[in-house]
Amino acid sequence: MRIMKLLTRDERPPGEEPVSDLVPEPEVSRAKRVRVLLAAACAPLLFSYTAVATVLAVVAFAADRSRFSGIGTLRAAGPGWLASWQVGLEFGGHPLSVLPLLPTIAVAWFTARTASRAVRRIGGGTPADAVPVVAVIAGSHALFGVLIALLAGGSPVGVNPLTAFCVPGLLAGLAAVAGTAKRCGSPATLRERFDPVAVHGLRAGALGLAALIACGAAVFTTVTAVSWSTVDGLFEPGLGASLGLFLLSVAYLPNAVIASLSFTTGPGFSVGSLTVGMFGYREGQLPGVPVLAGIPSHHAVWWPALLLLPALVGALVGWKIRAIDEDPMLRMRAVAVAGALVAFGCVVLGTLAGGRLGDGPFDPVSVPVGVASVITFCWIVIPGGFVAFFTGAHEAPEPPGEPGEDTEDTEDTDATEDIDATEVAEADEEVVESEEGEAAEPDEVIEAEAEFEDEAEAELARELGEDLDGTPAEIEPGSEPEQDIAVTESTDGSGDESSPGGDR
C-alpha cells in the first residue's frame, strides 16, 4: 500500500484544488490553424507528384536505348499526375481515358489520411470543423490541375483545362470527406437523420459490393494463374521493358478486377472488337500486356456455373438483413436499398475502369454499365429477398374472428363476472345458520329491532322470534312466528301497531 501511495501521490502544493481529468483542450490559435490548412493542401500534392515522377524516372532510367532527362521526367510527371486523378489525356490527337485505378486509389488514400490528421490537429469534432479542411484540399487540387493543363499547352500531351480543374478537385474533395467523416461524427449524424431500415440496407449493400469485388478478384487470379505461361511470354528480355510492363500491369489491376466482376455477374466487357460475355463471345485483337493474358480465346460451356458466385453474394446480403426487424416487408425494403447501392457502385466502377484507348483496334475499353447495374440489382434483390423473407422472424398471427365477435366475447365475459359478483353479494345477505341449525332472520328485521325503544316494539320483536339483544329466540316445535307483520308509526308518534288484516 505504501508503494501504491508513493506511485500515486499528489504533487500539488498544499491548499491547491484538484484539477478535473476532463479539462477542455486549449483553443487552437489562428496561426496554427492556417499552418495546418496549408500543410493539408500541399502535402497530398507533393506526395502524389513526387511518386509519379519517381516511377517515371525509374522506368526511364532502366529502359534500354533511352536517354534519361531529369527536366523531361519532371515535365512528364504533370500529365502523369493528372492521369492518376482520372483526367483524360490526348497524345498527338489520340484520346487516352482508360486510366489505371491503382494510382488513383493510392493518392486518394493519402489525401484522406492527410485530411483526418489535419482535423485532429485543429481539434475538430463536428462536421462544421471538416469544411475548411475539405475546401482547401479540393481547391488546391483543382488549381494545381488547371496549372498543369496550362503548362502542357504547347506539348504533345493535350489536356482539357475544365476537366483538369473539376475532376481532381471533385475526387480529392470526396477523399477528404471520407477521411474526416469518422473523426467529425458525420456517420452518427447521418444515421440519426436516415431511416434505420435504410441504414441497415446501406451497410448490407456495402458488404455485397465488397463481396462482388472479391469474387471478381478471385476469378481474375484464377484465370491468370492458369494462363501463367502466356503471361511469362509477354515479358520482354530487357530489364527496362519488362519493368515497364510489370508496373503497367500492376497499375491496371483494379481495372482488370472490375472487368472480371462484370464478366462474373453476366454482362461481360469489351476491348475494341473483342467481346467477352457469359453467354456470348466475339473474337478480336488484344494488346500485349500481361494483365490481359488471362482473357480466354474462345467461349466455354461451363462459364454459366460462375453465376453461382453473385447468387451467393445476394444470399449473403439477405442473411445480413434477416434479423433487423420482425416485419418481412421492412426486411424486403432493406434488401431493395442494398441492391440499389450495389447497382450504383457498379455504375461508378464500370465508368472508371473503361474509356478510350487511342483510335486503334483496342478502342474503346468498356463495361456495359447500364446492363451491369440492372443485373447486379437483380442478383442482390432476388436471392437476398428470398433469404431475408424466409429465414427471418415473423410476427405472430392474430387470432381468427371478426372484431365484432371479439367484442361480444368480451361483453359476455364481463356480464358473467358481474353475475358472479351479484350472486356472491346475495349469498352474503342470505340467512346464516346458527349452531342449532336454525335460520336467522334477515338483516332488515335486525336493523328494525335496533330502532324499537318501548316495550311494545320489543314484544313485537319477540313475536318475530328474536330477543332484545338480537339473538334468535327458541321456538317450540310446530309453532312459527308470523312473518307478514308490518310495523307502522302513527302520525302523532304514539307507536300504534296494525295487523295485516286491519285488526288492532
Side-chain angles (χ1 to χ4, degrees), residues 28-41 122 136:
V28 180
S29 63
R30 185 183 183 89
K32 182 178 180 180
R33 185 181 295 271
V34 172
R35 290 196 303 269
V36 170
L37 293 179
L38 287 176
I122 64 176
V136 298

Side-chain angles (χ1 to χ4, degrees), residues 116-144:
S116 176
R117 190 179 298 109
V119 171
R120 179 177 57 83
R121 291 181 62 187
I122 64 176
T126 61
D129 297 329
V131 173
V133 177
V134 174
V136 298
I137 290 178
S140 62
H141 282 74
L143 294 177
F144 192 66

Side-chain angles (χ1 to χ4, degrees), residues 23 52 78 117 143 152-153 183 204 245 252 271 350 353 363 366 403 406:
V23 178
V52 172
R117 190 179 298 109
L143 294 177
R183 183 170 295 277
L245 288 174
Y252 276 97
V271 180
D363 180 57
S366 63
D406 297 338

Side-chain angles (χ1 to χ4, degrees), residues 383-394:
F386 183 86
V387 173
F389 186 87
F390 289 102
T391 61
H394 288 71

Side-chain angles (χ1 to χ4, degrees), residues 474-499:
E474 294 183 358
I475 302 175
E476 297 179 358
S479 64
E480 295 181 358
E482 296 179 3
Q483 301 293 333
D484 297 333
I485 299 177
V487 179
T488 59
E489 293 182 2
S490 62
T491 55
D492 56 354
S494 59
D496 295 337
E497 300 173 359
S498 300
S499 64

